[in-house]
Amino acid sequence: MPLVTSKEMLLNAQRDGYAVGAFNVENMEMVQAVIAAAEELRAPVMLQTTPSTLRYAAPALFAAMVRAVAEKATVPVAVHLDHGSSAALARDALLGGYTSIMFDGSQKPFEENVALTCEVVEFCHAAGVPVEAELGCVGGKEDDLERKTDDPYTDPAQAAEFVKRTGVDSLAVAIGTAHGVYKGEPRLDIDRLCAIRKVVSVPLVLHGTSGVPEQVVSQCIDCGICKVNYATDLRIAYTGGVRAALAEKPEAFDPKLYGAAGRESVKKYVMGKMKLCRCAGKA
Ligand code: 13P
């Protein structure tokens, strides 16, 4: 079917108490793997790309790949800009065919984040495309942004004010997760998530989910998380599949051989996470 926006997908998840999996893709094989997993499990799905991925290949190219695969599928698929770092990149993604946009002004002071997010919301909503924003600082390093702050977590009252003033469609919250590979077991502030949920009406988003224990992810979904982001583990799964294929056949030189192995490994990983997010069977 044609690409859809993330608007209805996330509102359905919020209403029915599950989360949509949002998976970062880096190449054609990962696009195929994520949509094949969604199709097999009848799950709505979001595929997303960060700014560094969009420096590797343009938004129009990723949008075209996702659209071409999604058109052959029978489940709803959205293509989302992850951690959009400027209004200009958000516009590029929109023009390239993205159906969901994140603008991440979380490293800016509150008022500046509000003003920049409002600007992106205005032109995205004019095009019928929903916007995710972020308040508070998810730890670790995502692309070029490394977060270091004394008070990194999202403040519930500020989150309510932010959503009201910007009109965003979903909000990424900082409750103790970090992008990349965790050094120890992550400890999430679930009470804070519940407090945010009580005062914020839009769907909430969990970033930095690779490496978060499954029961903790499930607890977050119980407390109002409607979109769960996975990036690092997909990269690991893809590269692991490629490495294994090349180890088995070191003489191989056909990219299709090891690309297919990477694709299969990502599909398996994504199916596991879709079951965890309870979005399997929801399409
Ligand atoms: P991980 O790399 O920790 O899975 O985080 C993904 C993410 O939040 C993308 O925005």
Side-chain angles (χ1 to χ4, degrees):
M1 62 167 77
L3 290 174
V4 299
T5 75
S6 57
K7 177 86 182 177
E8 199 187 337
M9 219 184 250
L10 295 184
L11 289 176
N12 289 345
Q14 187 179 42
R15 186 193 61 217
D16 294 342
Y18 62 91
V20 173
F23 301 98
N24 286 67
V25 290
E26 315 283 349
N27 59 18
M28 181 193 76
E29 288 80 359
M30 293 172 87
V31 169
Q32 291 174 313
V34 173
I35 297 177
E39 187 73 359
E40 196 162 322
L41 290 179
R42 311 286 327 143
V45 69
M46 292 176 69
L47 287 80
Q48 54 189 21
T49 54
T50 58
S52 75
T53 305
L54 295 178
R55 287 196 292 273
Y56 180 69
L61 184 50
F62 271 104
M65 278 197 292
V66 176
R67 192 185 318 114
V69 183
E71 271 168 4
K72 301 278 180 210
T74 58
V75 294
V77 178
V79 59
H80 176 79
L81 173 64
D82 187 29
H83 292 287
S85 46
S86 66
L89 182 60
R91 268 186 211 281
D92 270 4
L94 199 62
L95 290 173
Y98 276 54
T99 59
S100 184
I101 298 287
M102 177 187 190
F103 174 72
D104 180 2
S106 62
Q107 70 283 11
K108 309 267 193 235
F110 181 76
E111 287 300 329
E112 205 178 331
N113 189 4
V114 169
L116 290 167
T117 303
C118 281
E119 183 191 339
V120 173
V121 166
E122 196 179 331
F123 65 76
C124 287
H125 281 185
V129 168
V131 176
E132 173 186 332
E134 181 169 321
L135 193 62
C137 292
V138 174
K141 194 170 188 317
E142 178 67 36
D143 265 14
D144 312 327
L145 300 172
E146 187 161 16
R147 310 294 165 76
K148 283 184 189 131
T149 167
D150 292 340
D151 181 19
Y153 291 180
T154 307
D155 174 70
Q158 221 179 33
E161 183 190 339
F162 183 85
V163 169
K164 203 163 158 207
R165 286 175 63 189
T166 57
V168 289
D169 303 274
S170 57
L171 184 71
V173 292
I175 55 167
T177 55
H179 295 110
V181 178
Y182 288 98
K183 291 191 183 86
E185 176 135 331
R187 289 167 57 143
L188 272 56
D189 189 344
I190 301 287
D191 290 344
R192 184 180 294 257
L193 174 61
C194 294
I196 298 168
R197 170 75 287 154
K198 279 202 183 110
V199 294
V200 171
S201 57
V202 297
L204 301 178
V205 180
L206 189 67
H207 280 245
T209 322
S210 295
V212 176
E214 297 213 330
Q215 76 277 11
V216 179
V217 175
S218 191
Q219 215 179 350
C220 289
I221 297 169
D222 290 337
C223 295
I225 290 293
C226 306
K227 172 176 179 261
V228 177
N229 284 8
Y230 289 100
T232 302
D233 276 354
L234 269 79
R235 294 173 186 145
I236 291 171
Y238 181 78
T239 307
V242 170
R243 277 203 185 103
L246 288 174
E248 198 181 317
K249 279 196 177 175
E251 74 286 2
F253 57 82
D254 183 347
K256 296 192 286 300
L257 183 126
Y258 55 82
R263 183 170 63 193
E264 196 48 38
S265 164
V266 170
K267 182 182 169 198
K268 217 180 269 172
Y269 175 83
V270 168
M271 286 175 74
K273 295 306 170 192
M274 285 174 163
K275 288 176 189 160
L276 171 64
C277 290
R278 308 172 211 155
C279 56
K282 302 293 184 186

